[in-house]
Amino acid sequence: MQTQHQFTQYIRDPDNSPKPADIEERRMNMYRDLLFTNISNIISDAFPVLKKITSDKNWEAMCRDFFVRHPCHSPYFSEVSQEFIQYLQNERREASHAAEDFSFLLELAHYEWAELFVSVAEDAKETKPVISNPLNQVLTVANAAMSLAYQYPVHRISPDYIPTEPDEQPTFLVVYRDSNDKVGFLETNPMTHALLEKLSNNSSLTCQQILTALADEMQHPNPDIVIQGGASILLDFVSRGIVVSIN
């Protein structure tokens, strides 16, 4: 067990870990390079925009810091992207070159991870009832959909657009996978985000009840406007597979 621990520590951080005595240096270097290349390729594929706007030098340094610093808890390569998000949340600030990071680094990475997540999310197995009148039905957010809120317009970031400060208003997005297994996104607003947040934990309330409560929270002078507007949004979201019935 001690040899195995030394092996993994040396693979990850040879500058600060002793080399196992019974394994030659050449083999250790081969293992380390192979594993790092695999991890780096997975991260690059999962976060293409972030990689594109980051210099090659800084990108490799970030991948290596993740490789050294973050204790991955999942043995599956498919979950490396989620581990990378955890690294950005918890350990990235300790990196010597973290001060050079984009201020929107975590938000952009999370958005790209969300796209990957919904692309592979499993659909609920049971057959869902037809949604004919969403106001009278109990709906929830589909497994392959996420409602997101960011300080930066992450969906617009590219090599041609690198924001230096957050927008005055938050950016609200829905990322989802449609019936053709194509991932798409919609830019929404605070009310729609609040509606989807309530639906994501819903198990018993009809949409009429949820929208009535939402109008009350907003102190809207005409709740019917909120309810009818919400009904139109829900019909659109039903057609896109963003919301589904649970009874």
Side-chain angles (χ1 to χ4, degrees):
M1 182 65 71
Q2 183 177 2
T3 299
Q4 184 179 13
H5 178 72
Q6 286 183 336
F7 179 85
T8 56
Q9 287 298 107
Y10 188 78
I11 286 288
R12 292 172 58 189
D13 190 9
D15 294 335
N16 298 294
S17 304
K19 184 180 78 67
D22 57 344
I23 304 178
E24 62 177 309
E25 182 74 21
R26 180 185 62 83
R27 289 180 61 194
M28 292 298 298
N29 290 339
M30 181 181 66
Y31 294 144
R32 184 173 62 252
D33 291 345
L34 179 61
L35 186 55
F36 174 74
T37 298
N38 286 339
I39 295 294
S40 178
N41 287 341
I42 291 170
I43 297 173
S44 296
D45 289 343
F47 305 96
V49 177
L50 183 57
K51 181 180 186 299
K52 188 177 294 185
I53 65 174
T54 304
S55 69
D56 291 343
K57 177 182 177 181
N58 287 350
W59 182 253
E60 181 175 352
M62 188 184 304
C63 290
R64 287 198 177 276
D65 192 67
F66 166 71
F67 187 67
V68 170
R69 197 182 298 273
H70 182 72
C72 290
H73 297 291
S74 172
Y76 302 110
F77 279 125
S78 61
E79 297 180 3
V80 168
S81 59
Q82 187 169 357
E83 296 280 358
F84 187 69
I85 294 294
Q86 294 174 7
Y87 156 75
L88 295 179
Q89 291 173 325
N90 301 317
E91 292 108 16
R92 178 60 188 169
R93 66 179 67 91
E94 301 170 8
S96 59
H97 44 280
E100 302 174 17
D101 289 345
F102 297 113
S103 54
F104 54 76
L105 172 66
L106 178 57
E107 289 197 343
L108 175 59
H110 185 272
Y111 174 62
E112 294 201 273
W113 168 81
E115 290 184 302
L116 180 62
F117 176 84
V118 302
S119 72
V120 298
E122 291 188 9
D123 291 319
K125 301 299 182 184
E126 65 272 17
T127 301
K128 298 297 184 182
V130 174
I131 301 172
S132 56
N133 186 348
L135 289 180
N136 295 331
Q137 291 180 262
V138 180
L139 305 183
T140 191
V141 177
N143 290 342
M146 299 178 72
S147 183
L148 308 166
Y150 300 110
Q151 295 301 308
Y152 288 86
V154 291
H155 59 305
R156 292 166 43 206
I157 293 175
S158 71
D160 297 324
Y161 177 65
I162 309 291
T164 57
E165 295 181 355
D167 279 356
E168 292 184 3
Q169 300 296 326
T171 293
F172 297 98
L173 302 168
V174 176
V175 180
Y176 66 99
R177 188 180 75 233
D178 64 20
S179 58
N180 295 317
D181 286 333
K182 181 179 179 181
V183 175
F185 77 90
L186 297 172
E187 189 168 0
T188 62
N189 55 46
M191 193 203 88
T192 301
H193 180 71
L195 172 60
L196 290 174
E197 285 290 288
K198 290 182 179 296
L199 288 174
S200 66
N201 299 313
N202 187 41
S203 61
S204 60
L205 297 178
T206 66
C207 291
Q208 174 93 32
Q209 292 172 310
I210 288 177
L211 286 165
T212 299
L214 189 58
D216 185 57
E217 291 174 10
M218 296 168 58
Q219 297 183 333
H220 198 283
N222 190 342
D224 284 343
I225 293 178
V226 175
I227 294 170
Q228 294 307 315
S232 297
I233 292 170
L234 289 170
L235 283 172
D236 179 49
F237 284 1
V238 166
S239 69
R240 296 176 186 269
I242 295 172
V243 295
V244 294
S245 176
I246 59 176
N247 66 3

